[in-house]
Amino acid sequence: MSIADRHVTALMRQLASQDVVELVHPLAEWETLGALAYIAECYGFRYADVRHVGKQKTLYVRMVRDADPRARQRAAANAAAFPQAGAGGPVPGMYQGTLTPVPEAQPDVDLIATLIRYDALGAAANRKQLITMSWAFPLLFVLLAAVTGKFAVLLTLAALTPAFLLITLRVNEARRAKLAERLTAAGCTPARDEQGRETFVRPLPHTT
């Protein structure tokens, strides 16, 4: 069984028994996450959001069961058309034994991968958090310098830290702006999630 088949088998087991599924990929390969999310949407789920977990900032992509009747119809149709999905058989939208999209599925996979990446950048570098850190850390270094007497090192860090954090913020915002352009061009609508973070709502998936 290929690595792709193992990913699909694990996913299908979760889809059959859970209303909330999290896709985990330590290396955050956007195409792989987009393909797995696409398959989940073929079986009555929809993309919800992302979060970073642990010191290594492992990316978790959350999928939730879609209550829309069209999602249930889509799931039933795909279950009938792909009876061996998760058991080494073909799955919707992918070449068999791989997570490589077929041409007709590629646009949807690309779109959801772009949205996942956009949300992941927002989760990794929250603007308010970075701005708070840009003044909190220098203050901490100044206090440590006063206590330890190591002025040369700590005051240098106090001066450099805000610049580094603000550059990180600018780079992150530039990347998200490019992704936002792609999402807007694909017909996605700007929105805010449950935590008030900027995201996009995609058009209804074409998965069948």
PDB file of all heavy atoms in Angstrom, residues 23 28-38 47-50 52 59-63 109-123 179 183 199 202:
ATOM      1  N   LEU A  23      -6.911  17.038   9.745  1.00  0.00           N
ATOM      2  CA  LEU A  23      -5.839  16.566   8.884  1.00  0.00           C
ATOM      3  C   LEU A  23      -4.530  17.118   9.429  1.00  0.00           C
ATOM      4  O   LEU A  23      -4.421  18.319   9.694  1.00  0.00           O
ATOM      5  CB  LEU A  23      -6.052  17.060   7.451  1.00  0.00           C
ATOM      6  CG  LEU A  23      -7.449  16.847   6.857  1.00  0.00           C
ATOM      7  CD1 LEU A  23      -7.518  17.475   5.461  1.00  0.00           C
ATOM      8  CD2 LEU A  23      -7.780  15.357   6.790  1.00  0.00           C
ATOM      9  N   ALA A  28       3.549  20.409   6.377  1.00  0.00           N
ATOM     10  CA  ALA A  28       2.615  21.387   5.796  1.00  0.00           C
ATOM     11  C   ALA A  28       2.729  21.454   4.278  1.00  0.00           C
ATOM     12  O   ALA A  28       2.919  22.507   3.682  1.00  0.00           O
ATOM     13  CB  ALA A  28       2.845  22.775   6.409  1.00  0.00           C
ATOM     14  N   GLU A  29       2.632  20.290   3.619  1.00  0.00           N
ATOM     15  CA  GLU A  29       2.641  20.263   2.160  1.00  0.00           C
ATOM     16  C   GLU A  29       1.241  20.628   1.672  1.00  0.00           C
ATOM     17  O   GLU A  29       0.287  19.861   1.810  1.00  0.00           O
ATOM     18  CB  GLU A  29       3.057  18.878   1.664  1.00  0.00           C
ATOM     19  CG  GLU A  29       4.496  18.535   2.025  1.00  0.00           C
ATOM     20  CD  GLU A  29       4.931  17.175   1.517  1.00  0.00           C
ATOM     21  OE1 GLU A  29       4.081  16.464   0.921  1.00  0.00           O
ATOM     22  OE2 GLU A  29       6.098  16.816   1.717  1.00  0.00           O
ATOM     23  N   TRP A  30       1.142  21.811   1.108  1.00  0.00           N
ATOM     24  CA  TRP A  30      -0.167  22.383   0.806  1.00  0.00           C
ATOM     25  C   TRP A  30      -0.967  21.521  -0.170  1.00  0.00           C
ATOM     26  O   TRP A  30      -2.171  21.362  -0.019  1.00  0.00           O
ATOM     27  CB  TRP A  30       0.006  23.803   0.253  1.00  0.00           C
ATOM     28  CG  TRP A  30       0.873  24.659   1.108  1.00  0.00           C
ATOM     29  CD1 TRP A  30       2.092  25.181   0.796  1.00  0.00           C
ATOM     30  CD2 TRP A  30       0.608  25.070   2.453  1.00  0.00           C
ATOM     31  NE1 TRP A  30       2.589  25.897   1.852  1.00  0.00           N
ATOM     32  CE2 TRP A  30       1.701  25.847   2.879  1.00  0.00           C
ATOM     33  CE3 TRP A  30      -0.454  24.859   3.337  1.00  0.00           C
ATOM     34  CZ2 TRP A  30       1.774  26.414   4.150  1.00  0.00           C
ATOM     35  CZ3 TRP A  30      -0.396  25.413   4.608  1.00  0.00           C
ATOM     36  CH2 TRP A  30       0.710  26.185   5.002  1.00  0.00           C
ATOM     37  N   GLU A  31      -0.292  20.968  -1.174  1.00  0.00           N
ATOM     38  CA  GLU A  31      -1.001  20.157  -2.162  1.00  0.00           C
ATOM     39  C   GLU A  31      -1.588  18.902  -1.510  1.00  0.00           C
ATOM     40  O   GLU A  31      -2.715  18.494  -1.817  1.00  0.00           O
ATOM     41  CB  GLU A  31      -0.051  19.769  -3.302  1.00  0.00           C
ATOM     42  CG  GLU A  31      -0.724  19.041  -4.455  1.00  0.00           C
ATOM     43  CD  GLU A  31      -1.558  19.945  -5.341  1.00  0.00           C
ATOM     44  OE1 GLU A  31      -1.472  21.181  -5.200  1.00  0.00           O
ATOM     45  OE2 GLU A  31      -2.305  19.416  -6.183  1.00  0.00           O
ATOM     46  N   THR A  32      -0.815  18.293  -0.601  1.00  0.00           N
ATOM     47  CA  THR A  32      -1.308  17.092   0.087  1.00  0.00           C
ATOM     48  C   THR A  32      -2.507  17.431   0.959  1.00  0.00           C
ATOM     49  O   THR A  32      -3.521  16.716   0.946  1.00  0.00           O
ATOM     50  CB  THR A  32      -0.193  16.477   0.954  1.00  0.00           C
ATOM     51  OG1 THR A  32       0.879  16.061   0.108  1.00  0.00           O
ATOM     52  CG2 THR A  32      -0.706  15.272   1.734  1.00  0.00           C
ATOM     53  N   LEU A  33      -2.412  18.514   1.711  1.00  0.00           N
ATOM     54  CA  LEU A  33      -3.528  18.925   2.564  1.00  0.00           C
ATOM     55  C   LEU A  33      -4.745  19.287   1.715  1.00  0.00           C
ATOM     56  O   LEU A  33      -5.880  18.949   2.067  1.00  0.00           O
ATOM     57  CB  LEU A  33      -3.113  20.115   3.426  1.00  0.00           C
ATOM     58  CG  LEU A  33      -2.101  19.808   4.529  1.00  0.00           C
ATOM     59  CD1 LEU A  33      -1.570  21.101   5.142  1.00  0.00           C
ATOM     60  CD2 LEU A  33      -2.725  18.935   5.617  1.00  0.00           C
ATOM     61  N   GLY A  34      -4.513  19.978   0.596  1.00  0.00           N
ATOM     62  CA  GLY A  34      -5.620  20.326  -0.283  1.00  0.00           C
ATOM     63  C   GLY A  34      -6.296  19.095  -0.864  1.00  0.00           C
ATOM     64  O   GLY A  34      -7.528  19.039  -0.953  1.00  0.00           O
ATOM     65  N   ALA A  35      -5.500  18.090  -1.238  1.00  0.00           N
ATOM     66  CA  ALA A  35      -6.066  16.862  -1.801  1.00  0.00           C
ATOM     67  C   ALA A  35      -6.886  16.108  -0.764  1.00  0.00           C
ATOM     68  O   ALA A  35      -7.994  15.620  -1.052  1.00  0.00           O
ATOM     69  CB  ALA A  35      -4.939  15.977  -2.341  1.00  0.00           C
ATOM     70  N   LEU A  36      -6.370  15.986   0.451  1.00  0.00           N
ATOM     71  CA  LEU A  36      -7.103  15.286   1.512  1.00  0.00           C
ATOM     72  C   LEU A  36      -8.381  16.023   1.876  1.00  0.00           C
ATOM     73  O   LEU A  36      -9.433  15.406   2.107  1.00  0.00           O
ATOM     74  CB  LEU A  36      -6.215  15.112   2.743  1.00  0.00           C
ATOM     75  CG  LEU A  36      -5.041  14.136   2.583  1.00  0.00           C
ATOM     76  CD1 LEU A  36      -4.111  14.227   3.786  1.00  0.00           C
ATOM     77  CD2 LEU A  36      -5.544  12.700   2.421  1.00  0.00           C
ATOM     78  N   ALA A  37      -8.307  17.355   1.928  1.00  0.00           N
ATOM     79  CA  ALA A  37      -9.509  18.144   2.226  1.00  0.00           C
ATOM     80  C   ALA A  37     -10.539  17.988   1.107  1.00  0.00           C
ATOM     81  O   ALA A  37     -11.752  17.910   1.373  1.00  0.00           O
ATOM     82  CB  ALA A  37      -9.139  19.614   2.405  1.00  0.00           C
ATOM     83  N   TYR A  38     -10.075  17.936  -0.125  1.00  0.00           N
ATOM     84  CA  TYR A  38     -10.975  17.728  -1.261  1.00  0.00           C
ATOM     85  C   TYR A  38     -11.707  16.401  -1.116  1.00  0.00           C
ATOM     86  O   TYR A  38     -12.936  16.330  -1.304  1.00  0.00           O
ATOM     87  CB  TYR A  38     -10.163  17.758  -2.555  1.00  0.00           C
ATOM     88  CG  TYR A  38     -10.964  17.421  -3.796  1.00  0.00           C
ATOM     89  CD1 TYR A  38     -11.535  18.431  -4.566  1.00  0.00           C
ATOM     90  CD2 TYR A  38     -11.148  16.094  -4.202  1.00  0.00           C
ATOM     91  CE1 TYR A  38     -12.271  18.121  -5.708  1.00  0.00           C
ATOM     92  CE2 TYR A  38     -11.887  15.781  -5.332  1.00  0.00           C
ATOM     93  CZ  TYR A  38     -12.447  16.793  -6.081  1.00  0.00           C
ATOM     94  OH  TYR A  38     -13.185  16.492  -7.200  1.00  0.00           O
ATOM     95  N   TYR A  47     -14.345  22.273   4.748  1.00  0.00           N
ATOM     96  CA  TYR A  47     -13.194  22.880   5.420  1.00  0.00           C
ATOM     97  C   TYR A  47     -13.684  23.929   6.418  1.00  0.00           C
ATOM     98  O   TYR A  47     -14.549  24.741   6.104  1.00  0.00           O
ATOM     99  CB  TYR A  47     -12.265  23.516   4.388  1.00  0.00           C
ATOM    100  CG  TYR A  47     -11.233  24.440   4.988  1.00  0.00           C
ATOM    101  CD1 TYR A  47     -10.153  23.944   5.704  1.00  0.00           C
ATOM    102  CD2 TYR A  47     -11.360  25.822   4.853  1.00  0.00           C
ATOM    103  CE1 TYR A  47      -9.212  24.789   6.270  1.00  0.00           C
ATOM    104  CE2 TYR A  47     -10.427  26.677   5.403  1.00  0.00           C
ATOM    105  CZ  TYR A  47      -9.360  26.160   6.111  1.00  0.00           C
ATOM    106  OH  TYR A  47      -8.433  27.004   6.673  1.00  0.00           O
ATOM    107  N   ALA A  48     -13.106  23.928   7.642  1.00  0.00           N
ATOM    108  CA  ALA A  48     -13.504  24.889   8.673  1.00  0.00           C
ATOM    109  C   ALA A  48     -12.395  25.892   8.975  1.00  0.00           C
ATOM    110  O   ALA A  48     -12.582  27.096   8.815  1.00  0.00           O
ATOM    111  CB  ALA A  48     -13.910  24.159   9.947  1.00  0.00           C
ATOM    112  N   ASP A  49     -11.227  25.408   9.427  1.00  0.00           N
ATOM    113  CA  ASP A  49     -10.140  26.320   9.776  1.00  0.00           C
ATOM    114  C   ASP A  49      -8.857  25.535  10.007  1.00  0.00           C
ATOM    115  O   ASP A  49      -8.814  24.321   9.816  1.00  0.00           O
ATOM    116  CB  ASP A  49     -10.495  27.160  11.013  1.00  0.00           C
ATOM    117  CG  ASP A  49     -10.854  26.294  12.226  1.00  0.00           C
ATOM    118  OD1 ASP A  49     -10.332  25.170  12.338  1.00  0.00           O
ATOM    119  OD2 ASP A  49     -11.658  26.739  13.069  1.00  0.00           O
ATOM    120  N   VAL A  50      -7.812  26.264  10.417  1.00  0.00           N
ATOM    121  CA  VAL A  50      -6.526  25.634  10.716  1.00  0.00           C
ATOM    122  C   VAL A  50      -6.041  26.112  12.077  1.00  0.00           C
ATOM    123  O   VAL A  50      -6.482  27.142  12.581  1.00  0.00           O
ATOM    124  CB  VAL A  50      -5.454  25.972   9.656  1.00  0.00           C
ATOM    125  CG1 VAL A  50      -5.890  25.524   8.274  1.00  0.00           C
ATOM    126  CG2 VAL A  50      -5.146  27.471   9.659  1.00  0.00           C
ATOM    127  N   HIS A  52      -2.162  25.856  14.652  1.00  0.00           N
ATOM    128  CA  HIS A  52      -0.806  25.362  14.840  1.00  0.00           C
ATOM    129  C   HIS A  52      -0.702  24.789  16.252  1.00  0.00           C
ATOM    130  O   HIS A  52      -1.161  25.400  17.216  1.00  0.00           O
ATOM    131  CB  HIS A  52       0.208  26.487  14.659  1.00  0.00           C
ATOM    132  CG  HIS A  52       0.300  26.980  13.249  1.00  0.00           C
ATOM    133  ND1 HIS A  52       1.092  26.376  12.304  1.00  0.00           N
ATOM    134  CD2 HIS A  52      -0.325  27.998  12.619  1.00  0.00           C
ATOM    135  CE1 HIS A  52       0.970  27.013  11.162  1.00  0.00           C
ATOM    136  NE2 HIS A  52       0.104  27.998  11.315  1.00  0.00           N
ATOM    137  N   LEU A  59       0.792  21.838  11.689  1.00  0.00           N
ATOM    138  CA  LEU A  59      -0.458  22.381  11.157  1.00  0.00           C
ATOM    139  C   LEU A  59      -1.569  21.344  11.204  1.00  0.00           C
ATOM    140  O   LEU A  59      -1.400  20.221  10.736  1.00  0.00           O
ATOM    141  CB  LEU A  59      -0.237  22.837   9.715  1.00  0.00           C
ATOM    142  CG  LEU A  59      -1.407  23.572   9.060  1.00  0.00           C
ATOM    143  CD1 LEU A  59      -1.638  24.909   9.733  1.00  0.00           C
ATOM    144  CD2 LEU A  59      -1.132  23.779   7.572  1.00  0.00           C
ATOM    145  N   TYR A  60      -2.693  21.732  11.791  1.00  0.00           N
ATOM    146  CA  TYR A  60      -3.893  20.901  11.836  1.00  0.00           C
ATOM    147  C   TYR A  60      -4.969  21.592  11.002  1.00  0.00           C
ATOM    148  O   TYR A  60      -5.275  22.766  11.227  1.00  0.00           O
ATOM    149  CB  TYR A  60      -4.408  20.743  13.269  1.00  0.00           C
ATOM    150  CG  TYR A  60      -3.640  19.764  14.120  1.00  0.00           C
ATOM    151  CD1 TYR A  60      -2.292  19.964  14.408  1.00  0.00           C
ATOM    152  CD2 TYR A  60      -4.256  18.625  14.660  1.00  0.00           C
ATOM    153  CE1 TYR A  60      -1.583  19.060  15.197  1.00  0.00           C
ATOM    154  CE2 TYR A  60      -3.558  17.726  15.450  1.00  0.00           C
ATOM    155  CZ  TYR A  60      -2.226  17.955  15.713  1.00  0.00           C
ATOM    156  OH  TYR A  60      -1.525  17.062  16.484  1.00  0.00           O
ATOM    157  N   VAL A  61      -5.551  20.864  10.073  1.00  0.00           N
ATOM    158  CA  VAL A  61      -6.634  21.387   9.237  1.00  0.00           C
ATOM    159  C   VAL A  61      -7.932  20.736   9.695  1.00  0.00           C
ATOM    160  O   VAL A  61      -8.060  19.508   9.665  1.00  0.00           O
ATOM    161  CB  VAL A  61      -6.384  21.079   7.749  1.00  0.00           C
ATOM    162  CG1 VAL A  61      -7.558  21.551   6.902  1.00  0.00           C
ATOM    163  CG2 VAL A  61      -5.090  21.736   7.283  1.00  0.00           C
ATOM    164  N   ARG A  62      -8.894  21.553  10.120  1.00  0.00           N
ATOM    165  CA  ARG A  62     -10.135  21.015  10.669  1.00  0.00           C
ATOM    166  C   ARG A  62     -11.217  20.956   9.606  1.00  0.00           C
ATOM    167  O   ARG A  62     -11.494  21.942   8.928  1.00  0.00           O
ATOM    168  CB  ARG A  62     -10.600  21.865  11.858  1.00  0.00           C
ATOM    169  CG  ARG A  62     -11.782  21.267  12.629  1.00  0.00           C
ATOM    170  CD  ARG A  62     -11.953  21.974  13.969  1.00  0.00           C
ATOM    171  NE  ARG A  62     -12.366  23.352  13.791  1.00  0.00           N
ATOM    172  CZ  ARG A  62     -13.623  23.793  13.950  1.00  0.00           C
ATOM    173  NH1 ARG A  62     -14.575  22.942  14.313  1.00  0.00           N
ATOM    174  NH2 ARG A  62     -13.914  25.058  13.793  1.00  0.00           N
ATOM    175  N   MET A  63     -11.820  19.772   9.481  1.00  0.00           N
ATOM    176  CA  MET A  63     -12.949  19.544   8.587  1.00  0.00           C
ATOM    177  C   MET A  63     -14.155  19.175   9.446  1.00  0.00           C
ATOM    178  O   MET A  63     -14.026  18.412  10.403  1.00  0.00           O
ATOM    179  CB  MET A  63     -12.655  18.404   7.623  1.00  0.00           C
ATOM    180  CG  MET A  63     -11.342  18.513   6.855  1.00  0.00           C
ATOM    181  SD  MET A  63     -11.318  19.831   5.621  1.00  0.00           S
ATOM    182  CE  MET A  63     -12.621  19.313   4.510  1.00  0.00           C
ATOM    183  N   VAL A 109      -8.828  21.565  -5.837  1.00  0.00           N
ATOM    184  CA  VAL A 109      -7.736  21.242  -4.905  1.00  0.00           C
ATOM    185  C   VAL A 109      -6.830  22.457  -4.720  1.00  0.00           C
ATOM    186  O   VAL A 109      -6.448  22.795  -3.592  1.00  0.00           O
ATOM    187  CB  VAL A 109      -6.930  20.030  -5.411  1.00  0.00           C
ATOM    188  CG1 VAL A 109      -5.692  19.800  -4.533  1.00  0.00           C
ATOM    189  CG2 VAL A 109      -7.795  18.778  -5.420  1.00  0.00           C
ATOM    190  N   ASP A 110      -6.509  23.127  -5.817  1.00  0.00           N
ATOM    191  CA  ASP A 110      -5.663  24.319  -5.732  1.00  0.00           C
ATOM    192  C   ASP A 110      -6.331  25.405  -4.886  1.00  0.00           C
ATOM    193  O   ASP A 110      -5.670  26.081  -4.081  1.00  0.00           O
ATOM    194  CB  ASP A 110      -5.380  24.875  -7.128  1.00  0.00           C
ATOM    195  CG  ASP A 110      -4.417  24.015  -7.918  1.00  0.00           C
ATOM    196  OD1 ASP A 110      -3.727  23.174  -7.295  1.00  0.00           O
ATOM    197  OD2 ASP A 110      -4.345  24.175  -9.152  1.00  0.00           O
ATOM    198  N   LEU A 111      -7.641  25.573  -5.059  1.00  0.00           N
ATOM    199  CA  LEU A 111      -8.349  26.615  -4.336  1.00  0.00           C
ATOM    200  C   LEU A 111      -8.373  26.346  -2.838  1.00  0.00           C
ATOM    201  O   LEU A 111      -8.090  27.241  -2.029  1.00  0.00           O
ATOM    202  CB  LEU A 111      -9.777  26.749  -4.875  1.00  0.00           C
ATOM    203  CG  LEU A 111     -10.625  27.867  -4.260  1.00  0.00           C
ATOM    204  CD1 LEU A 111      -9.940  29.217  -4.419  1.00  0.00           C
ATOM    205  CD2 LEU A 111     -12.013  27.884  -4.876  1.00  0.00           C
ATOM    206  N   ILE A 112      -8.692  25.121  -2.456  1.00  0.00           N
ATOM    207  CA  ILE A 112      -8.740  24.828  -1.029  1.00  0.00           C
ATOM    208  C   ILE A 112      -7.336  24.862  -0.418  1.00  0.00           C
ATOM    209  O   ILE A 112      -7.156  25.308   0.723  1.00  0.00           O
ATOM    210  CB  ILE A 112      -9.438  23.484  -0.738  1.00  0.00           C
ATOM    211  CG1 ILE A 112      -9.717  23.360   0.764  1.00  0.00           C
ATOM    212  CG2 ILE A 112      -8.633  22.302  -1.227  1.00  0.00           C
ATOM    213  CD1 ILE A 112     -10.604  22.186   1.118  1.00  0.00           C
ATOM    214  N   ALA A 113      -6.310  24.452  -1.187  1.00  0.00           N
ATOM    215  CA  ALA A 113      -4.939  24.533  -0.691  1.00  0.00           C
ATOM    216  C   ALA A 113      -4.526  25.986  -0.483  1.00  0.00           C
ATOM    217  O   ALA A 113      -3.845  26.319   0.498  1.00  0.00           O
ATOM    218  CB  ALA A 113      -3.981  23.843  -1.664  1.00  0.00           C
ATOM    219  N   THR A 114      -4.954  26.860  -1.380  1.00  0.00           N
ATOM    220  CA  THR A 114      -4.651  28.286  -1.233  1.00  0.00           C
ATOM    221  C   THR A 114      -5.326  28.860   0.000  1.00  0.00           C
ATOM    222  O   THR A 114      -4.725  29.629   0.763  1.00  0.00           O
ATOM    223  CB  THR A 114      -5.108  29.056  -2.489  1.00  0.00           C
ATOM    224  OG1 THR A 114      -4.412  28.559  -3.621  1.00  0.00           O
ATOM    225  CG2 THR A 114      -4.819  30.549  -2.351  1.00  0.00           C
ATOM    226  N   LEU A 115      -6.577  28.474   0.252  1.00  0.00           N
ATOM    227  CA  LEU A 115      -7.288  28.963   1.431  1.00  0.00           C
ATOM    228  C   LEU A 115      -6.646  28.440   2.710  1.00  0.00           C
ATOM    229  O   LEU A 115      -6.491  29.188   3.693  1.00  0.00           O
ATOM    230  CB  LEU A 115      -8.752  28.546   1.369  1.00  0.00           C
ATOM    231  CG  LEU A 115      -9.628  28.973   2.566  1.00  0.00           C
ATOM    232  CD1 LEU A 115      -9.541  30.475   2.807  1.00  0.00           C
ATOM    233  CD2 LEU A 115     -11.065  28.538   2.362  1.00  0.00           C
ATOM    234  N   ILE A 116      -6.254  27.176   2.720  1.00  0.00           N
ATOM    235  CA  ILE A 116      -5.572  26.615   3.890  1.00  0.00           C
ATOM    236  C   ILE A 116      -4.281  27.393   4.160  1.00  0.00           C
ATOM    237  O   ILE A 116      -3.974  27.741   5.309  1.00  0.00           O
ATOM    238  CB  ILE A 116      -5.275  25.118   3.672  1.00  0.00           C
ATOM    239  CG1 ILE A 116      -6.569  24.309   3.702  1.00  0.00           C
ATOM    240  CG2 ILE A 116      -4.306  24.598   4.741  1.00  0.00           C
ATOM    241  CD1 ILE A 116      -6.402  22.863   3.270  1.00  0.00           C
ATOM    242  N   ARG A 117      -3.541  27.662   3.113  1.00  0.00           N
ATOM    243  CA  ARG A 117      -2.277  28.399   3.272  1.00  0.00           C
ATOM    244  C   ARG A 117      -2.533  29.819   3.783  1.00  0.00           C
ATOM    245  O   ARG A 117      -1.805  30.317   4.654  1.00  0.00           O
ATOM    246  CB  ARG A 117      -1.544  28.446   1.933  1.00  0.00           C
ATOM    247  CG  ARG A 117      -0.135  28.980   2.031  1.00  0.00           C
ATOM    248  CD  ARG A 117       0.561  28.898   0.682  1.00  0.00           C
ATOM    249  NE  ARG A 117       1.909  29.421   0.758  1.00  0.00           N
ATOM    250  CZ  ARG A 117       2.697  29.583  -0.298  1.00  0.00           C
ATOM    251  NH1 ARG A 117       2.276  29.240  -1.496  1.00  0.00           N
ATOM    252  NH2 ARG A 117       3.913  30.074  -0.155  1.00  0.00           N
ATOM    253  N   TYR A 118      -3.571  30.478   3.255  1.00  0.00           N
ATOM    254  CA  TYR A 118      -3.919  31.832   3.704  1.00  0.00           C
ATOM    255  C   TYR A 118      -4.253  31.829   5.192  1.00  0.00           C
ATOM    256  O   TYR A 118      -3.749  32.660   5.963  1.00  0.00           O
ATOM    257  CB  TYR A 118      -5.109  32.336   2.886  1.00  0.00           C
ATOM    258  CG  TYR A 118      -5.596  33.708   3.287  1.00  0.00           C
ATOM    259  CD1 TYR A 118      -5.035  34.853   2.728  1.00  0.00           C
ATOM    260  CD2 TYR A 118      -6.615  33.868   4.225  1.00  0.00           C
ATOM    261  CE1 TYR A 118      -5.473  36.116   3.091  1.00  0.00           C
ATOM    262  CE2 TYR A 118      -7.057  35.124   4.588  1.00  0.00           C
ATOM    263  CZ  TYR A 118      -6.488  36.253   4.032  1.00  0.00           C
ATOM    264  OH  TYR A 118      -6.921  37.500   4.414  1.00  0.00           O
ATOM    265  N   ASP A 119      -5.105  30.894   5.605  1.00  0.00           N
ATOM    266  CA  ASP A 119      -5.490  30.825   7.014  1.00  0.00           C
ATOM    267  C   ASP A 119      -4.318  30.422   7.903  1.00  0.00           C
ATOM    268  O   ASP A 119      -4.202  30.887   9.048  1.00  0.00           O
ATOM    269  CB  ASP A 119      -6.643  29.825   7.193  1.00  0.00           C
ATOM    270  CG  ASP A 119      -7.958  30.344   6.638  1.00  0.00           C
ATOM    271  OD1 ASP A 119      -8.050  31.557   6.353  1.00  0.00           O
ATOM    272  OD2 ASP A 119      -8.896  29.542   6.477  1.00  0.00           O
ATOM    273  N   ALA A 120      -3.436  29.549   7.380  1.00  0.00           N
ATOM    274  CA  ALA A 120      -2.277  29.111   8.167  1.00  0.00           C
ATOM    275  C   ALA A 120      -1.332  30.274   8.434  1.00  0.00           C
ATOM    276  O   ALA A 120      -0.785  30.401   9.541  1.00  0.00           O
ATOM    277  CB  ALA A 120      -1.545  27.986   7.442  1.00  0.00           C
ATOM    278  N   LEU A 121      -1.133  31.140   7.450  1.00  0.00           N
ATOM    279  CA  LEU A 121      -0.291  32.310   7.652  1.00  0.00           C
ATOM    280  C   LEU A 121      -0.897  33.246   8.692  1.00  0.00           C
ATOM    281  O   LEU A 121      -0.197  33.829   9.507  1.00  0.00           O
ATOM    282  CB  LEU A 121      -0.091  33.055   6.330  1.00  0.00           C
ATOM    283  CG  LEU A 121       0.891  32.426   5.341  1.00  0.00           C
ATOM    284  CD1 LEU A 121       0.831  33.157   4.001  1.00  0.00           C
ATOM    285  CD2 LEU A 121       2.306  32.472   5.896  1.00  0.00           C
ATOM    286  N   GLY A 122      -2.227  33.387   8.670  1.00  0.00           N
ATOM    287  CA  GLY A 122      -2.888  34.219   9.660  1.00  0.00           C
ATOM    288  C   GLY A 122      -2.776  33.653  11.055  1.00  0.00           C
ATOM    289  O   GLY A 122      -2.589  34.389  12.035  1.00  0.00           O
ATOM    290  N   ALA A 123      -2.875  32.324  11.172  1.00  0.00           N
ATOM    291  CA  ALA A 123      -2.773  31.684  12.483  1.00  0.00           C
ATOM    292  C   ALA A 123      -1.357  31.731  13.021  1.00  0.00           C
ATOM    293  O   ALA A 123      -1.137  31.818  14.236  1.00  0.00           O
ATOM    294  CB  ALA A 123      -3.239  30.227  12.388  1.00  0.00           C
ATOM    295  N   LEU A 179      -2.099  35.735  -1.782  1.00  0.00           N
ATOM    296  CA  LEU A 179      -3.052  34.629  -1.713  1.00  0.00           C
ATOM    297  C   LEU A 179      -4.486  35.154  -1.755  1.00  0.00           C
ATOM    298  O   LEU A 179      -5.363  34.538  -2.382  1.00  0.00           O
ATOM    299  CB  LEU A 179      -2.825  33.821  -0.439  1.00  0.00           C
ATOM    300  CG  LEU A 179      -1.484  33.084  -0.352  1.00  0.00           C
ATOM    301  CD1 LEU A 179      -1.303  32.483   1.033  1.00  0.00           C
ATOM    302  CD2 LEU A 179      -1.386  32.000  -1.413  1.00  0.00           C
ATOM    303  N   LEU A 183      -7.638  34.111  -4.216  1.00  0.00           N
ATOM    304  CA  LEU A 183      -8.927  33.669  -3.696  1.00  0.00           C
ATOM    305  C   LEU A 183     -10.059  34.537  -4.230  1.00  0.00           C
ATOM    306  O   LEU A 183     -11.114  34.035  -4.611  1.00  0.00           O
ATOM    307  CB  LEU A 183      -8.910  33.687  -2.163  1.00  0.00           C
ATOM    308  CG  LEU A 183      -7.979  32.660  -1.512  1.00  0.00           C
ATOM    309  CD1 LEU A 183      -7.801  32.973  -0.030  1.00  0.00           C
ATOM    310  CD2 LEU A 183      -8.532  31.247  -1.683  1.00  0.00           C
ATOM    311  N   THR A 199     -10.647  35.573   6.840  1.00  0.00           N
ATOM    312  CA  THR A 199     -10.584  34.364   6.026  1.00  0.00           C
ATOM    313  C   THR A 199     -11.413  34.599   4.769  1.00  0.00           C
ATOM    314  O   THR A 199     -11.777  35.739   4.462  1.00  0.00           O
ATOM    315  CB  THR A 199     -11.086  33.134   6.816  1.00  0.00           C
ATOM    316  OG1 THR A 199     -10.893  31.962   6.023  1.00  0.00           O
ATOM    317  CG2 THR A 199     -12.550  33.273   7.206  1.00  0.00           C
ATOM    318  N   ARG A 202     -15.430  30.016   0.335  1.00  0.00           N
ATOM    319  CA  ARG A 202     -15.321  29.521  -1.035  1.00  0.00           C
ATOM    320  C   ARG A 202     -16.694  29.318  -1.651  1.00  0.00           C
ATOM    321  O   ARG A 202     -17.674  29.080  -0.958  1.00  0.00           O
ATOM    322  CB  ARG A 202     -14.561  28.189  -1.050  1.00  0.00           C
ATOM    323  CG  ARG A 202     -13.112  28.296  -0.677  1.00  0.00           C
ATOM    324  CD  ARG A 202     -12.560  26.968  -0.188  1.00  0.00           C
ATOM    325  NE  ARG A 202     -12.852  25.878  -1.088  1.00  0.00           N
ATOM    326  CZ  ARG A 202     -13.368  24.719  -0.694  1.00  0.00           C
ATOM    327  NH1 ARG A 202     -13.670  24.511   0.567  1.00  0.00           N
ATOM    328  NH2 ARG A 202     -13.556  23.750  -1.558  1.00  0.00           N
TER     329      ARG A 202
END
